Amino acid sequence: LQETNKETGFSSDNNPTEAETAVWNQVSAVLEEAHGILAELQSYNGAGQEIREAIQNPGDLQLQEKAWNAVCPLVAKLKRFYEFSLRLENALRSLLEALTSPPYAPMQHLEREQALAKQFAEILHFTLSFDELKMTNPAIQNDFSYYRRTISRNRLNNQQLEAENEVNNEMANRMSLFYAEATPMLKTLSNATTKFVSENKTLPIEDTTDCLSTMACVCRVMLETPEYRCRFTNTDTMLFCMRVMVGVIILYDHVHPVGAFAKTSKIDMKGCIKVLKDQPSNSVEGLLNALRYTTRHLNDDSTSKQIRALLQ
């Protein structure tokens, strides 16, 4: 991400100021772990074959055991991803507090605390990368459903399985809800942002939404302006900007009373969607889907037909 850092203009200097250090350190530890989480998800192949064989041969105990032994380490991985989402939520919260606290306006915050703004962008980049991988990997939900079915079957037979100590019923319920979402990490962050705004009654909601709309604008301008774009030496930097832009749009849409798609929105949605549509479709389809399915206000009457048509 160093290169991204130099090119995106989110931060000319990645060193936090003294006031930022505590938050920066907390978020930095989470972001370090994020790389490993993405790598693990990328190589997640699932236990489809073993599960199929076990289901087709219910009487073959050896195959049942083989499937169970294949699924358990995968569920431990899924638990790790879920627990990481909770740490990511806390990191986002700390960043929101730092980037919206009085007396500064959002734009001043983003200029003064560039290292934190950069971390905020990196969290969104991770979130959309994670969700894109999850969306295209049906094995995750298949493995987890098989795990839950096996546990409840054994419970009926009064058998306690060792793996239950790892993922108890309450944890399994929470994980189920998490993985049932099309974009679980984004949903976690959207909920966290909404909660942040509702818990901070004294903080004008605009302080949060302006911070988000400013970041969306920075990304859009960098993506649509040729002299900025020609500085991007690789497609990763383009993707970074696009993911951050989509991420802040979705958070804005969850937090703002009328959302990102209304005429009064401070985000130029037409411009943002156009920038995405100008890219090769295989690299942006996941991001367009996130706008279609993870936003709150796209189908409101206040959304123009033009914008809806762009997302058809």
Side-chain angles (χ1 to χ4, degrees):
L1 288 171
Q2 247 6 70
E3 184 174 359
T4 316
N5 189 37
K6 280 192 223 110
E7 295 177 11
T8 51
F10 268 109
S11 170
S12 50
D13 174 10
N14 207 18
N15 297 325
T17 61
E18 217 171 304
E20 298 172 274
T21 303
V23 173
W24 192 87
N25 287 340
Q26 178 208 346
V27 179
S28 195
V30 172
L31 284 169
E32 253 168 60
E33 207 182 324
H35 295 288
I37 295 278
L38 275 186
E40 278 194 70
L41 180 57
Q42 215 148 7
S43 61
Y44 187 104
N45 294 322
Q49 179 71 25
E50 291 88 341
I51 291 172
R52 261 193 311 279
E53 287 175 359
I55 290 171
Q56 284 161 3
N57 304 281
D60 188 328
L61 287 179
Q62 217 174 347
L63 287 177
Q64 307 307 310
E65 202 169 317
K66 189 181 171 194
W68 181 248
N69 291 338
V71 161
C72 282
L74 293 171
V75 169
K77 234 179 227 190
L78 295 179
K79 181 189 177 194
R80 232 179 6 262
F81 299 164
Y82 167 70
E83 288 173 335
F84 181 73
S85 78
L86 305 178
R87 284 199 290 288
L88 196 70
E89 189 180 337
N90 288 334
L92 178 85
R93 202 184 166 81
S94 301
L95 285 173
L96 283 173
E97 274 166 14
L99 292 170
T100 56
S101 57
Y104 303 109
M107 194 62 197
Q108 289 172 300
H109 268 299
L110 292 173
E111 280 168 5
R112 288 170 59 90
E113 284 127 14
Q114 290 207 8
L116 297 188
K118 178 68 184 16
Q119 285 187 320
F120 191 57
E122 285 178 341
I123 281 184
L124 291 168
H125 176 249
F126 162 80
T127 299
L128 280 122
S129 306
F130 182 96
D131 285 347
E132 278 172 36
L133 288 170
K134 186 264 172 188
M135 263 182 172
T136 53
N137 194 341
I140 289 174
Q141 273 176 286
N142 295 342
D143 293 348
F144 197 60
S145 311
Y146 178 79
Y147 173 84
R148 297 209 74 183
R149 285 199 307 275
T150 308
I151 288 230
S152 41
R153 196 168 57 239
N154 285 320
R155 226 182 257 132
L156 290 174
N157 303 333
N158 285 328
Q159 284 175 298
Q160 175 82 12
L161 291 167
E162 225 170 275
E164 257 193 283
N165 306 332
E166 178 85 21
V167 177
N168 62 27
N169 205 32
E170 189 201 343
M171 172 62 86
N173 286 337
R174 291 209 304 266
M175 285 169 65
S176 255
L177 289 171
F178 178 75
Y179 288 111
E181 295 290 344
T183 51
M185 286 286 174
L186 250 179
K187 186 80 171 118
T188 301
L189 294 196
S190 301
N191 290 347
T193 310
T194 308
K195 195 172 162 199
F196 170 78
V197 168
S198 65
E199 283 175 2
N200 288 275
K201 299 271 188 280
T202 55
L203 184 76
I205 196 165
E206 290 75 28
D207 286 14
T208 305
T209 54
D210 286 359
C211 169
L212 298 170
S213 58
T214 303
M215 286 179 76
C217 179
V218 169
C219 291
R220 178 181 55 75
V221 169
M222 286 193 307
L223 287 163
E224 68 186 10
T225 313
E227 56 267 38
Y228 285 129
R229 220 179 36 230
C230 69
R231 286 192 217 160
F232 295 169
T233 53
N234 63 26
T235 49
D236 287 354
T237 313
M238 290 280 284
L239 258 176
F240 180 90
C241 274
M242 291 191 291
R243 285 184 180 133
V244 174
M245 181 179 77
V246 168
V248 285
I249 288 170
I250 289 167
L251 295 187
Y252 182 100
D253 194 55
H254 276 260
V255 172
H256 197 282
V258 294
F261 299 95
K263 279 196 175 72
T264 52
S265 161
K266 287 190 179 174
I267 295 178
D268 169 9
M269 283 306 300
K270 248 181 275 182
C272 291
I273 296 168
K274 196 178 169 311
V275 157
L276 292 173
K277 293 212 141 181
D278 286 346
Q279 308 306 318
S281 64
N282 60 341
S283 66
V284 293
E285 198 47 40
L287 295 175
L288 290 167
N289 280 338
L291 288 176
R292 288 176 188 125
Y293 308 122
T294 316
T295 46
R296 276 176 73 175
H297 296 278
L298 175 61
N299 295 316
D300 289 5
D301 295 340
S302 55
T303 302
S304 75
K305 284 195 179 76
Q306 229 177 338
I307 287 179
R308 262 186 236 171
L310 276 173
L311 280 174
Q312 283 303 315

